[in-house]
Amino acid sequence: MKVAIIGVGKIGYAILKGVKSLNAEIIGTGRSEITIERIKKEGVEATKDNDYAVRKSEIVILAVKPQHFNSVLREVSKTAWNGKKIVSIMAGIKISTLVRLTGAKVYRAMPNINAIVGKATTALAEEKDEEIEKIFKTLGSVYWVSEELLDAWTAIIGSGPAFIAEIIDAFALGAVACGMPRDLAYEAILDMVEGTVTTLKREKTHPVLLRDQVTTPAGTTIRGLMTMESEGIKSAIIKTIEAAYQRSATIGKEIDKMFENTE
Ligand SMILES: NC(=O)c1ccc[n+]([C@@H]2O[C@H](COP(=O)([O-])OP(=O)(O)OC[C@H]3O[C@@H](n4cnc5c(N)ncnc54)[C@H](OP(=O)(O)O)[C@@H]3O)[C@@H](O)[C@H]2O)c1
């Protein structure tokens, strides 16, 4: 497998580390010396020449920011894309736009920040391809979805780590309010969250059933749940995700429009 990673930034670097474990032939690109040195340090071929990198590979992973994709298009000659499989992790640019611009077979991937610890949750669109699935499985779990679900994915799975982090921080503040030392609270809360997820996954329990198991009559949990209910926590979280989804759809349209007149 010959893989080019165009733009080895934060997410490109996580992908590079993952692809390395597949013993693939890799070539990474960047603009600055810092990026080039970082790629070389991994024992991987590095270049600023995107045209050369695309020509040399079978699979091309586009990991630049969408607003920088125009410069990549200017640097890579049209014929270089011929017969390549392209995987774009750039938010917003549609498969149909990338097909029009490159004439190649195009996939989109939407990993999340957890790629840095091999625990990403990646959506791949659209047609199943074993080689591409293999690459993204090195970053964590993989789900094949239709392209129209990518905005929802961005809101739930892309922004999700930030929302969960915010909830964990609220738990820690609650612990401090009850007199628990912050560091102890933080560690214990992370273990509790991890344990809850493991229970839900392993026991295949619906969250509502788990909640009811913990909620004894006239106990402490029901008092907390009553407060959550009166404060509208559930509705706030649903609205949070819906707002992020709407924003992703709006940005996506704006980004894709940037390429309307690009040949
Ligand atoms: N970060 C995430 O968790 C995440 C998750 C899902 C999707 N994404 C998507 O991934 C893409 C990259 O995000 P990021 O957070 O990794 O951004 P980033 O850290 O800024 O990385 C982008 C990289 O692209 C390089 N670059 C820019 N123009 C280039 C060109 N013409 N040729 C070669 N390399 C070029 C930059 O290199 P220099 O630094 O050398 O200029 C930089 O290293 C975005 O489209 C984003 O939507 C990110």
Side-chain angles (χ1 to χ4, degrees), residues 129-160:
D129 180 281
E130 274 179 21
E131 275 186 318
I132 289 164
E133 182 168 317
K134 215 168 164 187
I135 290 175
F136 285 89
K137 273 200 170 152
T138 65
L139 304 184
S141 58
V142 163
Y143 297 81
W144 286 93
V145 302
S146 63
E147 186 179 22
E148 63 183 19
L149 281 184
L150 289 182
D151 286 321
W153 196 273
T154 304
I156 300 157
I157 309 297
S159 303

Side-chain angles (χ1 to χ4, degrees), residues 5-15 28-36 38-39 47-50 62-73 75 88-93 109-116 154 158 255:
I5 303 167
I6 308 296
V8 182
K10 282 186 285 297
I11 198 82
Y13 186 69
I15 294 172
T29 80
R31 291 174 305 188
S32 64
E33 281 309 320
I34 297 172
T35 304
I36 296 296
R38 208 153 72 117
I39 302 168
T47 179
K48 291 182 183 177
D49 186 342
N50 287 321
L62 298 172
V64 297
K65 293 236 159 82
Q67 60 269 33
H68 294 144
F69 183 53
N70 252 326
S71 68
V72 173
L73 280 173
E75 289 158 33
S88 166
I89 64 159
M90 299 179 295
I93 311 179
M110 189 51 66
N112 65 5
I113 191 68
N114 297 334
I116 56 178
T154 304
I255 290 172

